[in-house]
Amino acid sequence: MTEQDFILKSYNTNKESGSVKWASPSNIALVKYWGKKKHQIPENPSISFTLSDCKTITEITYTKKEAKGFSFDIYFEGEKNEAFKPKIQTFFERIETYMPFLKDYHFKIETSNTFPHSSGIASSASGMSAIALCLMSIENELSDIQNDSEESKDFFNQKSSFLARLGSGSACRSIEGELVVWGKNESIDDSSDLYGVKFEGDVHSNFKKYQDTILLVDKGEKQVSSTVGHQLMYGHPFAKERFEQAHVNLAKLKAILASGDLNEFIKIVESEALTLHAMMMTSMPYFILMKPNTLEIINKIWAFREKTDSKVCFTLDAGANVHVLYPESEKENVLEFIKDELVSYCQNGHYICDQIGQGANQIQF
Ligand code: PMV
C-alpha cells in the first residue's frame, strides 16, 4: 500500500446528516517509537499492547454545509472545548487529501475518556484513533460501502490507522489488538511505516490477558511535549544506534512472544523504557521526565523480583507514570504488592488497572 491508495476517489453528498460513534483504546509500547521523519513517518519500528479499559469514546455528527473551510466543534466530557481545536484543525489539513468530503460537512465531535481527565495518561492515542475511526465510518456512509468482506474490513482498519498516525503517531497502534506493530521491519511481514498492523506471529499463553496497572505518579501536564521530544532525535548523538537497536529488539521480542520466555521479555521491555528516557537525557536540550517516585517504584519492582519469583516488570511512556506489566497468573500477588508498596508513590494514591485488549469497537445507536 502507498499513500495514494488511501485517497478516496468518489463519494456523494446526498446524505444531509448522520452520526457515528466509536470507542478506541490507548496502547502501551514494548519497543518504543521515538524520533520521526516528515509526515509522521517513524524513524524506527515499534510494537505495543493494546489496552482494554483505557478508552476514548467519540461520537461525530455530520451535517451538510456549503463548501469552503473546515467547520467543526468539539465537546469534551459534555463541555465545549476550544483548546483541542488547533490540533484537530491541523489533523483535518493533513488528512483532507485522503478524505475530500471534509469541507462538505460540519462536524460536531463529542468525546470523553473512560480514564480520569488529567491523569497524565497519554490520551492522544485513544483520542486520535477514535476520531479517525469515526471519519472512516462517515467515509463508508458517503460512498455507500456496505461490503462486509475481509478485504474491506482490512482496508477500513488500515486507512483508520493511516489517518490516526497523521493525528498522533502512536495512535495508529490503537485500532486493533492485542499486539500491533508499526514501522517497516524485516522480521514482521507486511509491516509498514504508514500504518499499524496486527501482530500475527505466535503468542505464548503466558501473554494472554497480560496485565497493565498504571501508577499515576504525576498527573500534571508534561514539561516537554512528545512532538518536541521526537524532534530532538534529529542530530542526536546516539540516534543511529538507537534506531538500529529498535529493529533488533523487535525481532528478539517476536521470538520471545512465541517462546513465552518472561525473563527475556523483562529484559527487552525494561531496557526499552530506560533507553527512551536515556534518549531524552542525552538530547540537546536535555530533559528528565521521570520523577523521584518513578525511580522509587522501579527499585521496589526490582527488589520484589529479587525476593520473589515474580515476573512483574515496568515500562514508561514519555512521562513519570509507571506501567506495571505482569502475567494474569500473578494478578493477586502483584496487586497486593502494588497496594502495600507502590501506591504510596502515586499522586493521591491513584492507579488504574487494565489489561491487554482487542482494539476499537463501533458503538451502534
Ligand atoms: O504518539 P506520540 O507522538 O505522542 O509519541 C509517543 C511516543 C511514546 O509514547 C513515548 C512511545 C510509543 O511508542 O508509544
Side-chain angles (χ1 to χ4, degrees), residues 21-25 55-58 126 130 133 174 359-363:
K21 193 170 184 177
W22 278 85
S24 189
K55 287 183 182 168
T56 298
I57 296 156
T58 299
S126 53
L133 286 155
S174 278
N361 299 95
Q362 182 161 18
I363 300 169

Side-chain angles (χ1 to χ4, degrees), residues 29 31-34 46 124 168-171 173 226 230 276 317-318:
V31 172
K32 308 285 179 181
Y33 148 62
W34 198 242
S46 55
S124 64
S168 166
S170 58
R173 297 188 313 239
S226 58
H230 287 294
L276 168 71
D317 260 344

Side-chain angles (χ1 to χ4, degrees), residues 237-251:
F238 308 134
K240 189 167 164 276
E241 287 75 8
R242 162 59 197 153
F243 300 147
E244 282 166 11
Q245 180 197 42
H247 283 269
V248 173
N249 280 350
L250 181 52

